[in-house]
Amino acid sequence: MAPRVFVNFRRADTGATGPHLDTALRQEFGEQEVFRDQRSIRKGAHFPAEITGALRKCDLLLAVMGHGWAAVTDGAGHRCIDDPEDWVRKEIALALAWGITVLPVRVDGADLPDAAELPDDIRDLARHQGEIFRPHQEHIDFPPLFEAVHKAVPDLRRRRPRRPQGDGGGATYHIERFDHGSANFGGSGTANTYNFGPEEDDEERP
């Protein structure tokens, strides 16, 4: 089974938020439905081929973006996003070119960059509606993010199905418990538990 959701992030911008979202998405939608490079690519594999092959089969790319997303620089002081070989840029550019849905995930309410700040091949990113994700309020922000993912990929099966509640027929969530190790989201008498231990070891992604 090919992953349906591709997590695009820059550790120098958002720290461990990308891997953290990857963990939560796998718990919500299934282990095989989410691609994140350091976790998903087997040792010894050809990195560019694995990235492009996985992305081509995905239906949704989550572009995880913090306040410094467009300003992160390399060792020479040049903006990473201006480098055509920068993989964060390349993944987004390919997704846009291939007609894959791109959903910006705005960490801590980061603004989307202006189109004028972006290279031509990802300029359209500035016109995409995004979702806010605040790590310190993830118990509030996970449910709408999961809903956005499900709407973008309607046939993506959820491991914890939500039952509609209320006159509007939409899914609502009641937060029953949240602590440093887990968050419970429940609706219509159900409760869903997400356990977030230490993130898997990753090599540093620029």
Side-chain angles (χ1 to χ4, degrees), residues 58-81:
C58 284
D59 298 292
L60 173 67
L61 179 141
L62 297 182
V64 183
M65 308 171 72
H67 289 281
W69 184 84
V72 175
T73 57
D74 59 20
H78 304 126
R79 286 200 320 167
C80 294
I81 209 70

Side-chain angles (χ1 to χ4, degrees), residues 25-143:
L25 289 163
R26 285 184 287 133
Q27 290 190 12
E28 177 71 10
F29 295 106
E31 188 72 24
Q32 303 303 316
E33 300 289 4
V34 184
F35 180 93
R36 178 173 62 85
D37 54 4
Q38 294 102 328
R39 176 184 57 79
S40 302
I41 298 176
R42 67 189 185 279
K43 301 298 182 183
H46 186 257
F47 183 86
E50 292 287 321
I51 289 283
T52 55
L55 182 57
R56 191 180 292 275
K57 296 174 183 176
C58 284
D59 298 292
L60 173 67
L61 179 141
L62 297 182
V64 183
M65 308 171 72
H67 289 281
W69 184 84
V72 175
T73 57
D74 59 20
H78 304 126
R79 286 200 320 167
C80 294
I81 209 70
D82 289 328
D83 180 2
E85 297 303 312
D86 174 63
W87 274 103
V88 171
R89 170 180 168 178
K90 288 177 74 169
E91 291 164 5
I92 295 171
L94 288 172
L96 292 171
W98 292 342
I100 296 167
T101 300
V102 176
L103 175 65
V105 178
R106 298 163 48 207
V107 178
D108 285 326
D111 292 330
L112 287 174
D114 292 334
E117 297 180 69
L118 300 176
D120 288 345
D121 56 357
I122 61 169
R123 190 156 290 169
D124 195 51
L125 178 65
R127 303 179 180 91
H128 282 241
Q129 183 69 23
E131 281 286 338
I132 291 176
F133 178 73
R134 297 160 295 181
H136 63 290
Q137 292 186 297
E138 60 186 24
H139 56 300
I140 296 173
D141 291 344
F142 269 137

